[in-house]
Amino acid sequence: MDAFVIKGGRRLSGRIRVGGAKNAALPLMAAALLTDEPIVLHDVPDLTDIRSMTRLLAELGCPRDDEDAERPGRMRLRTIDRSLIHARYSLVSTMRAGVCVLGPLLARRGRARVAMPGGCAIGQRPIDLHLRGLEALGARIELEGGDVVAQAPHGGLRGARIFLGGPFGSTVLGTANVLCAATLATGTTLIESAACEPEIVDLAALLSKMGARINGAGSPRILVEGVDALGPAEHRVMPDRIEAGTYMCAAAITGGELALENCPVDALMALNSCLESVGVGVQTTGGDDPMRARVRITPARTLRPAMVTTQPYPGFPTDLQAQMLAMLCLADGNSVVTEKVFPERFLHVAELTRMGARLYRQGPTVVISGVPGLVGAPVMASDLRASAGLVLAGLAARETTIVRRVYHLDRGYQRMDRSLASLGADVVRVDDRDLDRIDE
Ligand code: EPZ
């Protein structure tokens, strides 16, 4: 397994282009199951989760048929076999987003068998809202051997009024599932308390190009008029707001300056407001499209503390909580971070403490007493964003930080080590067996 060896203390500086969004690309890929025509996607990031989804779609009779090294980021998917309906546990357990094949399979093939994803490092992750939404469209759902087995009624799914709110707000992938299923249902579907995340807007944009009739995506109330069939489409995946936000925080924690291109600044208002409140400059310097802008990050003279509460979009994203928390460890004063989407998502807290951070956790809230500096240490976290938070802490810490199990990072960041090195960081990827030999 690979690890990052980070020698901290260098200010980041330079330019970076934000890639296509993992969390947009995964449901966009699953939407290819809704038609027999080709779906062509551009700006698909080269990540482990994307490769797992490609494998899953191939197992479901919808292979990628364009391995074209000349055009990285382009992906063509086409359904060739509609008899395959089983998303196996071995794939869904490595990538929870595998669950978003459920709605498309049910809508187009009338049935689906998808392994229950189970919990993961960031806490319990139920799919009751997904299932409730699909049942409202008429599906019969049973649990068999750990799989969700779903069957559409004779004559197909029927439009309905569906409420997708849960104890922690709406559900992003649940909204994607119900939205996809509703495009081919008979009649009108109203999704109330739909997720408003920009990734849902991107999915609705692709579905509309395929011929779906959707209104209100991006608001909590989405209206879908079912159609008989969907056709081919070509679509460019939206830029990754979490990748952009992570590099913004990386610049901020090192007191660096960074220019971002292809930055979805319009989808990062909560982060920007937070960065500005701690003293970091965020300036849009160009680009006509606020979802693909040029943005400049300038350092704070002194990092001020902040109160941050994660919430569903447009609130502060849970996927940037660990990165922000790492930064606030170095603020001049006390900060408070509260997690309202995944209340257990604090795997980074114990590890940051090993680097000299002063953190006090009580349930979903962490109080951070800022320290003047962090000290490098060997650390590890089995969650993608927690690992990103540890890398950021390592960039700012004195001496050497070793972040183990970076395969978690590879699920969501395309070669983060290379990107950070191109901005002046001292980060090297090593095989952690070599580290063990050094330790001995
Ligand atoms: C998506 O997960 C993202 N994943 C997550 O990003 C992200 O953290 C999350 O949305 C929230 O923004 C992808 O897009 C692939 P939810 P999702 O259903 O859709 C509860 C990353 O690091 N809930 O919106 O699975 C749930 O437990 C990943 O890139 C129910 O109660 O998240 C949570 O508390 C991690 N019942 C809240 O809702 C349900 O049926 C929001 O979860 C579904 C969810």
Side-chain angles (χ1 to χ4, degrees):
M1 269 184 261
D2 287 357
F4 283 179
V5 177
I6 305 169
K7 292 201 178 109
R10 295 196 178 192
R11 285 169 198 266
L12 297 194
S13 140
R15 182 174 299 276
I16 199 160
R17 181 185 181 277
V18 180
K22 163 183 87 87
N23 288 349
L26 293 167
L28 292 174
M29 290 168 69
L33 293 165
L34 286 165
T35 173
D36 294 350
E37 304 289 340
I39 298 297
V40 179
L41 299 174
H42 298 272
D43 256 358
V44 179
D46 182 17
L47 300 168
T48 325
D49 275 11
I50 297 290
R51 287 191 283 274
S52 303
M53 181 59 103
T54 310
R55 219 171 320 132
L56 175 57
L57 291 177
E59 285 196 7
L60 293 170
C62 181
R64 176 174 189 179
D65 65 359
D66 72 324
E67 291 297 347
D68 183 354
E70 296 295 304
R71 303 177 70 177
R74 181 181 186 273
M75 174 181 284
R76 195 177 110 122
L77 295 160
R78 183 169 199 164
T79 300
I80 51 170
D81 184 348
R82 269 194 273 139
S83 68
L84 303 164
I85 55 141
H86 191 185
R88 291 179 303 118
Y89 184 62
S90 55
L91 277 172
V92 178
S93 62
T94 60
M95 174 209 41
R96 267 191 57 93
V99 74
C100 61
V101 299
L102 182 57
L105 283 178
L106 191 60
R108 178 74 180 119
R109 304 185 186 181
R111 60 207 177 102
R113 182 176 190 116
V114 177
M116 269 293 250
C120 72
I122 65 176
Q124 224 196 345
R125 295 183 70 183
I127 57 164
D128 55 314
L129 298 170
H130 302 230
L131 303 185
R132 200 205 294 163
L134 296 172
E135 275 173 339
L137 293 172
R140 207 181 65 235
I141 294 183
E142 277 161 13
L143 206 60
E144 255 180 56
D147 292 340
V148 172
V149 181
Q151 176 85 43
H154 288 301
L157 299 173
R158 297 180 301 265
R161 289 173 74 91
I162 297 166
F163 181 74
L164 278 187
F168 303 100
S170 187
T171 161
V172 181
L173 292 180
T175 301
N177 256 330
V178 174
L179 176 60
C180 284
T183 58
L184 290 178
T186 310
T188 306
T189 297
L190 176 67
I191 309 174
E192 277 284 15
S193 197
C196 303
E197 269 66 5
E199 291 75 14
I200 294 296
V201 178
D202 210 35
L203 174 62
L206 170 69
L207 293 171
S208 300
K209 287 178 193 169
M210 292 166 70
R213 294 172 60 197
I214 301 169
N215 259 303
S219 81
R221 185 170 242 243
I222 305 181
L223 198 67
V224 187
E225 290 287 342
V227 295
D228 291 339
L230 295 172
E234 193 154 348
H235 184 75
R236 185 172 168 201
V237 181
M238 65 168 276
D240 196 319
R241 62 193 170 106
I242 306 303
E243 184 193 26
T246 302
Y247 286 112
M248 287 170 160
C249 292
I253 199 172
T254 64
E257 261 194 74
L258 185 65
L260 292 113
E261 279 169 14
N262 200 39
C263 178
V265 67
D266 212 33
L268 282 163
M269 301 277 273
L271 173 71
N272 295 349
S273 142
C274 199
L275 286 174
E276 280 164 0
S277 77
V278 302
V280 174
V282 182
Q283 223 188 324
T284 302
T285 54
D288 296 334
D289 180 352
M291 284 298 280
R292 296 181 184 278
R294 278 197 293 279
V295 171
R296 182 153 207 88
I297 303 298
T298 49
R301 213 169 296 156
T302 314
L303 277 178
R304 291 191 289 265
M307 302 268 281
V308 181
T309 301
T310 67
Q311 281 167 335
Y313 190 83
F316 191 94
T318 171
D319 291 347
L320 286 172
Q321 178 256 107
Q323 301 87 317
M324 178 55 70
L325 195 151
M327 195 179 93
L328 293 174
C329 290
L330 293 172
D332 185 18
N334 297 334
S335 301
V336 181
V337 170
T338 302
E339 176 55 71
K340 287 210 169 163
V341 180
F342 292 111
E344 298 298 323
R345 195 176 200 178
F346 285 118
L347 287 174
H348 39 295
V349 165
E351 302 297 289
L352 287 169
T353 306
R354 301 184 60 242
M355 298 177 72
R358 289 173 58 195
L359 306 172
Y360 311 93
R361 179 177 167 201
Q362 186 119 69
T365 296
V366 178
V367 176
I368 305 147
S369 178
V371 291
L374 295 170
V375 191
V379 289
M380 177 170 85
S382 30
D383 163 40
L384 160 59
R385 309 302 173 185
S387 302
L390 297 178
V391 170
L392 265 52
L395 293 174
R398 287 195 310 277
E399 298 163 20
T400 303
T401 298
I402 297 169
V403 182
R404 288 181 186 258
R405 297 200 179 173
V406 295
Y407 64 86
H408 290 292
L409 279 169
D410 294 336
R411 290 185 40 220
Y413 298 93
Q414 207 165 308
R415 290 311 300 244
M416 185 188 239
D417 47 330
R418 284 192 201 155
S419 303
L420 289 171
S422 77
L423 298 172
D426 188 341
V427 182
V428 187
R429 181 185 285 258
V430 297
D431 184 324
D432 65 3
R433 278 172 306 192
D434 295 335
L435 291 172
D436 293 340
R437 266 179 235 128
I438 295 165
D439 285 352
E440 283 160 16

